[in-house]
Amino acid sequence: MFKLLRFYSVVSFFVIFVTAALLISFYRQVTIHWGDHLAETHSLAMAQTVLNSVKPELTAYLGTVPGADRAPNSKTPPASLVSGILRLTQGTEVDAIKIYDQSGQSLFSSRQDLVDSMACVHSAVNGQTFNLMTYRDVFNRFEGTTVEDNLMHTCIPIRDGETGPILGVLETRTDMNHLVEENDKVLFTTMIGAELILAVLYAVLIIVVRHAKNIIESQQKTIEERTALLEVLSKRLLKNEEQKKQKIAIDLHEGLAQTLSAIKFNVESSSAKIKARDKNAQPPESIVPVLQGAIQEVRSIATELRPSSLDELGLLPTIKWYCREFEQLHKDIYVEREIELQETTIPVPLKIVIYRIIESTLKNIAHYSATDRVMLALQRVGDKIHLRISHTSGEKSSATTSHSQDPNSDPQFRFVEMMERATLSGGTFKATRNNDGWIMLHASWAC
């Protein structure tokens, strides 16, 4: 859960950071667009005001000699016009004024360090008003500044009257640094506000996640406690079941079997005495085979309930004995054993569980699978005991297996008893089928 909280914190911080960057970038584009529009409107009004202030003298000057026929000294505007233009650049937002003739040739500039904006001039010569600004705010100050930064170039055609021919072009360059600075202030204010809001949101998310973490840990602790309790109850249930079976097996083996053996001995003894007294008498020997069969059946039932060798000799000899009995009963199946642990390393409560799993699994294989080889491995690796049973998954004919159950279709369903015993005893169980058609059963327990 700690790793999940750390992962969520890092990812959420990254997402919030990227979101803030995208919001700031979007807002910057909006402010740039809005600033350009406002600057264009303001600069156009300023340029029109400048033109109206000097238009009579300017049209008279441009109309004296047209185009290339102008004398060299006639290219210089009159002193009165120059002084009037220079007055318009003092104490106003107009940074520079330039005048071009109708061919786009520069005739006058209030500043000599400015580069001609030919795209602006050509548009005005063709009768169109043109606006252009190199926008440079705090985000692109590192690209290198020029004298053209944040200057709005506005070119308007100079006409003789409202509909007269175009005599030249008036270009004004208006300083828009104050507008860009205002945009920067608004942008930074918005940025700080957005960062604070996102930081609060991030803190709230972390608090919610921590609260959810505490709830999940509390619920997980409750589940673990209940699981431990269920495991104890399951082990006790299995233990009680085995104790009942053990008691019944002992009663059958030590009680009923001994009684039947005594009856058999008495019958055989009485039969011998009767033969000794009267050779023609019919001894009751016919009852002996019946008693012998009853004794064998009682011992078989007792062994089925709980083999006495499990308590007397241990698990490993009992497994070997059961595998031999299984091979005698099913002569077409060979059980290959691989046991790599000592009797003393197996916990006592786990011995009967392992034996029952092996017993039920081999019976299931004999009943449902058309296999001739079963591999049984029991080993201890580290602090875990592993039981592996594998066999081919060939299905027997429908004479022994009904189609509705189809136990081969799902190994988990087919070996549910093995899974139940392994789980109830505190272990794990897994059943898989590989590409070669082998069913692999694996149960493990922590010691």
Side-chain angles (χ1 to χ4, degrees):
M1 187 62 196
F2 175 75
K3 291 184 178 180
L4 177 62
L5 177 62
R6 184 172 60 184
F7 174 77
Y8 179 81
S9 301
V10 173
V11 171
S12 58
F13 177 80
F14 177 75
V15 170
I16 289 175
F17 179 80
V18 172
T19 303
L22 292 176
L23 287 175
I24 292 170
S25 177
F26 174 74
Y27 184 76
R28 178 173 178 267
Q29 295 301 320
V30 172
T31 55
I32 289 176
H33 179 74
W34 172 80
D36 282 342
H37 176 71
L38 186 63
E40 288 175 3
T41 304
H42 178 72
S43 181
L44 183 61
M46 291 289 295
Q48 194 65 48
T49 302
V50 170
L51 179 60
N52 292 335
S53 300
V54 295
K55 188 173 183 180
E57 296 182 0
L58 188 57
T59 54
Y61 162 67
L62 293 174
T64 54
V65 180
D69 297 334
R70 191 189 311 272
N73 59 357
S74 66
K75 292 184 179 181
T76 304
S80 60
L81 178 60
V82 171
S83 61
I85 292 174
L86 293 177
R87 280 197 305 271
L88 294 174
T89 61
Q90 297 175 359
T92 65
E93 296 177 356
V94 180
D95 187 72
I97 298 175
K98 299 187 74 171
I99 298 173
Y100 301 87
D101 61 13
Q102 60 184 353
S103 64
Q105 184 179 0
S106 176
L107 301 178
F108 171 78
S109 177
S110 62
R111 284 179 55 182
Q112 302 302 319
D113 59 341
L114 300 179
V115 180
D116 294 342
S117 178
M118 300 313 299
C120 177
V121 174
H122 289 161
S123 296
V125 168
N126 293 325
Q128 298 176 354
T129 302
F130 186 86
N131 288 288
L132 176 66
M133 182 176 74
T134 302
Y135 192 95
R136 188 176 297 277
D137 59 3
V138 69
F139 287 94
N140 48 18
R141 289 285 170 85
F142 298 101
E143 297 177 1
T145 59
T146 64
V147 295
E148 304 291 332
D149 294 342
N150 296 328
L151 287 180
M152 176 59 74
H153 299 211
T154 302
C155 294
I156 56 178
I158 304 172
R159 298 177 182 271
D160 186 8
E162 294 293 333
T163 59
I166 296 175
L167 302 177
V169 176
L170 174 70
E171 178 189 1
T172 61
R173 303 197 180 188
T174 308
D175 186 6
M176 291 297 169
N177 276 314
H178 66 286
L179 181 62
V180 174
E181 290 175 359
E182 286 297 324
N183 283 346
D184 287 344
K185 290 179 181 179
V186 173
L187 181 60
F188 275 105
T189 303
T190 305
M191 182 192 309
I192 294 173
E195 292 290 346
L196 289 175
I197 293 173
L198 292 175
V200 171
L201 177 61
Y202 177 73
V204 171
L205 288 175
I206 295 299
I207 292 173
V208 170
V209 172
R210 286 186 177 272
H211 181 65
K213 168 182 168 288
N214 294 333
I215 294 176
I216 292 173
E217 287 180 348
S218 176
Q219 292 178 346
Q220 187 175 4
K221 184 178 179 181
T222 302
I223 292 172
E224 288 176 354
E225 291 175 352
R226 292 183 178 179
T227 302
L229 178 61
L230 287 174
E231 185 174 329
V232 171
L233 293 176
S234 300
K235 289 181 178 179
R236 185 173 298 176
L237 179 63
L238 290 175
K239 183 179 179 181
N240 292 338
E241 181 183 354
E242 289 300 327
Q243 286 178 346
K244 290 178 181 179
K245 289 182 178 181
Q246 185 178 17
K247 184 178 181 303
I248 295 173
I250 292 174
D251 291 341
L252 288 174
H253 189 271
E254 301 298 332
L256 184 57
Q258 295 297 332
T259 302
L260 291 174
S261 296
I263 293 173
K264 172 178 172 289
F265 177 76
N266 290 333
V267 169
E268 290 177 343
S269 178
S270 299
S271 176
K273 290 179 181 179
I274 291 172
K275 276 187 176 183
R277 287 196 302 264
D278 186 359
K279 294 183 179 181
N280 297 321
Q282 294 293 330
E285 290 182 350
S286 58
I287 197 172
V288 174
V290 178
L291 291 174
Q292 186 67 37
I295 293 170
Q296 186 62 37
E297 186 175 353
V298 169
R299 286 176 177 169
S300 298
I301 294 173
T303 302
E304 181 114 5
L305 287 171
R306 185 182 179 90
S308 58
S309 61
L310 194 62
D311 301 311
E312 297 170 359
L313 301 177
L315 175 62
L316 302 185
T318 304
I319 292 176
K320 294 178 182 178
W321 164 81
Y322 183 77
C323 290
R324 288 196 302 269
E325 292 292 322
F326 180 82
E327 289 175 342
Q328 290 181 4
L329 184 61
H330 306 280
K331 297 187 180 299
D332 55 340
I333 301 178
Y334 171 68
V335 180
E336 181 179 341
R337 298 183 299 274
E338 184 179 346
I339 299 177
E340 299 177 355
L341 76 172
Q342 300 296 324
E343 184 75 32
T344 55
T345 62
I346 308 173
V348 175
L350 198 58
K351 292 183 179 181
I352 186 61
V353 176
I354 295 176
Y355 173 76
R356 293 298 183 195
I357 290 176
I358 293 174
E359 179 187 38
S360 63
T361 303
L362 291 180
K363 287 182 178 179
N364 187 294
I365 293 173
H367 184 68
Y368 290 113
S369 297
T371 182
D372 59 352
R373 184 184 179 194
V374 178
M375 300 181 66
L376 187 152
L378 182 62
Q379 57 187 178
R380 177 166 180 165
V381 179
D383 61 344
K384 281 192 174 184
I385 292 180
H386 298 270
L387 172 63
R388 294 182 177 87
I389 303 175
S390 57
H391 67 285
T392 54
S393 59
E395 184 182 354
K396 284 192 175 182
S397 62
S398 58
T400 59
T401 303
S402 62
H403 179 73
S404 59
Q405 293 179 343
D406 192 12
N408 279 301
S409 60
D410 186 1
Q412 292 284 141
F413 169 77
R414 175 176 165 184
F415 297 97
V416 65
E417 183 179 351
M418 180 179 180
M419 178 180 65
E420 182 182 14
R421 286 186 176 275
T423 306
L424 291 178
S425 58
T428 60
F429 171 80
K430 182 172 64 175
T432 57
R433 188 196 306 266
N434 63 15
N435 296 330
D436 296 331
W438 281 74
I439 293 179
M440 320 290 291
L441 308 175
H442 179 206
S444 62
W445 298 266
C447 298

